[in-house]
Amino acid sequence: MTEKVAVEKADPVDPSGSAPVGRPKRPVRRAIVAALVALLVWLSWSVGSALLAPGNDSVSARLAEWARSHHLGNVVLGLEKLQYHLNPPATGGTPPPGLLVAPKGASPTAPPSTHGHQGGTARVALRKPLGSIAQPALPGEGAWRSLVKVHGQPAVQAAFLRPDSVHTSYLAGVVWMSSKLLRFNLHPGFDEPGGSWPVPDWIPPGQRRGLVATWNGAFRLADAHGGFYLDGKTAGSLVDRAASEVFYRNGTMTVGSWNQEVGPGPNVVGVRQNLHLLIDNGKVSRKINTSPQFNWGATVSNAYFVFRSGVGITANGDLVYASGDALSAHTLARILHRAGCVRAMELDINSTWVSYMTYLAGGHPSDPTPHSLLPDYQRPANRYYEHTSRDFVTAYAR
């Protein structure tokens, strides 16, 4: 009886006489599997670290920032443009009631400050109404109210108005801040600009007494076309002609074009740059709508109506901040100009990043309660009472 012998089937041979053709050898397969496992482990660690980072950034914001940091900005851009086209801002209608009527307790008083009061006993009056852009005006539209008093004076005043005659169901908030009654500080974020700084990336207990207001910073440095400077250290590079928030040793701040209206010096302690000026020499820039080099948001163009924010300086040296939904770069500039800015710049955009808060001392002057300027900010009012990923500005009573 003939015994059957098992014969192992050989891999096919290339007729040219080269190496056998067939499935990858086990070492190659193992290398591919190991690489995929390593990629998944790194991806899980990287995304997980972003999701578990401190602060109150939303999950969507954390994922978007992670993607931008890993060269996937075009993917984020495409998704944001798609979202905008699927959900454009509403046209027509009227804003919800409430903001145009002075809320109860709208004039909290900041606690006494250990800093000297500049300006002596000069009285600060409520500013002249802004008037309405959209017509006819609604009752209370554009009228100023006191949000925070310092030494009995209305140091922080706010007005609300519709941004244009089309998006009439939205209100932009405008804030005037006295440079004589307040002092201003620049803070870093742990991601933007990142790194180690002598100033904290939040407002910790023990640094809240006399706190009056906070507002958001600007674009990521990769998109800002400018740099960040604080206490002798620079992230990125300070760029000539870039729009700049500039902070001085005496607690004042201004806005201007770098190495033109403003520049380096021994009294400069902080600089935050972002794009080019919206307003210069008292005039809205004509390049907002005509120059392709003016990019007012990598996520959306200058003509898109989204949440935007900006800050400017008046001829008297006081500060004005504005923010709101359904704003283009041009309508933001027009509002800041109407509020008296002779120079102004755009800050961050999108509801994820924009916010302005005032603080009510009440019975706890060392831990004042924050209040948001607009109800439709995504961020909670206590945003800066936690470590924050983006830079921001604080205002304290003098």
Side-chain angles (χ1 to χ4, degrees):
M1 184 174 181
T2 304
E3 183 179 356
K4 294 183 179 179
V5 179
V7 179
E8 183 177 353
K9 186 176 180 180
D11 287 333
V13 177
D14 191 323
S16 64
S18 59
V21 178
R23 294 174 298 174
K25 297 300 182 182
R26 288 181 180 176
V28 176
R29 292 200 302 271
R30 288 172 181 167
I32 294 173
V33 171
L36 290 175
V37 170
L39 177 61
L40 289 174
V41 169
W42 171 83
L43 187 62
S44 299
W45 171 84
S46 182
V47 174
S49 298
L51 293 176
L52 296 175
N56 46 45
D57 293 1
S58 66
V59 171
S60 59
R62 292 169 189 261
L63 291 175
E65 292 300 281
W66 179 89
R68 290 190 178 99
S69 299
H70 291 82
H71 310 291
L72 296 173
N74 286 335
V75 175
V76 178
L77 171 62
L79 291 174
E80 289 179 333
K81 285 188 173 181
L82 177 62
Q83 182 183 28
Y84 181 87
H85 286 295
L86 292 176
N87 298 283
T91 59
T94 57
L99 284 179
L100 294 181
V101 178
K104 184 178 180 180
S107 299
T109 302
S113 171
T114 58
H115 295 265
H117 173 213
Q118 294 185 0
T121 58
R123 301 293 298 176
V124 177
L126 289 179
R127 295 173 61 77
K128 183 180 179 181
L130 290 177
S132 176
I133 296 173
Q135 295 297 326
L138 299 175
E141 187 171 9
W144 295 94
R145 69 187 72 167
S146 173
L147 292 185
V148 180
K149 290 183 178 180
V150 174
H151 304 289
Q153 306 298 311
V156 180
Q157 303 177 25
F160 302 90
L161 71 166
R162 292 167 293 172
D164 55 45
S165 59
V166 176
H167 303 94
T168 53
S169 63
Y170 300 91
L171 285 175
V174 188
V175 182
W176 173 90
M177 294 167 281
S178 169
S179 62
K180 293 182 179 179
L181 295 171
L182 305 175
R183 56 186 176 90
F184 304 92
N185 306 290
L186 177 64
H187 288 253
F190 63 76
D191 270 346
E192 287 294 325
S196 177
W197 302 86
V199 178
D201 59 18
W202 64 311
I203 310 172
Q207 296 186 21
R208 298 175 184 175
R209 181 175 291 271
L211 180 63
V212 168
T214 55
W215 68 85
N216 58 277
F219 289 2
R220 290 162 50 91
L221 292 182
D223 303 317
H225 308 301
F228 181 100
Y229 169 85
L230 187 59
D231 287 340
K233 180 180 176 181
T234 304
S237 299
L238 296 180
V239 176
D240 286 350
R241 299 179 180 272
S244 306
E245 288 178 305
V246 181
F247 301 79
Y248 296 96
R249 201 169 303 280
N250 64 0
T252 60
M253 69 167 290
T254 191
V255 173
S257 179
W258 191 247
N259 280 332
Q260 291 188 306
E261 293 102 347
V262 295
N267 293 322
V268 173
V269 295
V271 180
R272 181 45 156 119
Q273 296 186 321
N274 198 51
L275 311 177
H276 295 269
L277 290 176
L278 290 169
I279 301 171
D280 198 7
N281 295 316
K283 298 180 180 179
V284 174
S285 173
R286 292 176 298 176
K287 295 182 179 180
I288 286 179
N289 295 322
T290 60
S291 176
Q293 69 182 6
F294 274 59
N295 182 6
W296 303 108
T299 52
V300 286
S301 72
N302 58 308
Y304 280 48
F305 294 88
V306 298
F307 236 112
R308 296 183 191 266
S309 61
V311 66
I313 191 84
T314 70
N316 293 330
D318 297 318
L319 275 296
V320 175
Y321 172 95
S323 68
D325 202 352
L327 290 174
S328 68
H330 187 265
T331 55
L332 172 63
R334 185 168 56 175
I335 289 172
L336 288 165
H337 186 261
R338 179 176 286 248
C341 291
V342 294
R343 296 189 299 275
M345 60 186 283
E346 185 177 55
L347 295 174
D348 221 332
I349 68 173
N350 295 331
S351 57
T352 300
W353 304 114
V354 174
S355 59
Y356 183 99
M357 278 76 73
T358 52
Y359 296 80
L360 173 61
H364 304 280
S366 62
D367 191 25
T369 302
H371 297 272
S372 295
L373 177 68
L374 293 173
D376 44 359
Y377 292 142
Q378 281 193 14
R379 293 311 184 90
N382 66 348
R383 173 182 182 180
Y384 298 120
Y385 279 5
E386 299 182 49
H387 295 278
T388 183
S389 60
R390 295 287 189 98
D391 58 280
F392 64 101
V393 177
T394 55
Y396 285 82
R398 285 187 178 275

